Amino acid sequence: MELFVTTILPLILVVAVFYFLMIRPENKRKKQAEEMRNSLTVGDEITTIGGVVGTICAVKENTIVMETGADRVRIEFTKWAISNKGVQSAETTK
């Protein structure tokens, strides 16, 4: 019994703390990002991970076509490249 308390129990506690402080919150963020990407519709304004801002003009299975700016350039991105819905500014990242 003493061997369990001195060697195995601390190891179990470290693994549990690691799970609840690191792994679980990361999985929750990934799930929220996936739900956001799946809920995108035509007309939504989005920002990509590269900082490109535009309006969605077509949604396909794995990609999104968006228009940027007044020149109406259309660019196709994969869904995983979408950072967030709406325009991301320096104030929202702080």
Side-chain angles (χ1 to χ4, degrees), residues 72-88:
R72 300 179 58 104
V73 173
R74 291 187 178 201
I75 306 171
E76 188 169 3
F77 290 97
T78 56
K79 283 189 177 181
W80 64 263
I82 307 304
S83 172
N84 63 343
K85 207 176 202 181
V87 178
Q88 186 175 357

Side-chain angles (χ1 to χ4, degrees), residues 38-57:
N38 289 332
S39 71
L40 293 173
T41 58
V42 174
D44 288 345
E45 197 167 79
I46 58 172
T47 303
T48 67
I49 57 175
V52 179
V53 177
T55 304
I56 298 175
C57 59

Side-chain angles (χ1 to χ4, degrees), residues 11-22:
L11 183 62
I12 292 172
L13 289 174
V14 167
V15 170
V17 167
F18 183 77
Y19 174 77
F20 283 106
L21 293 180
M22 306 246 338

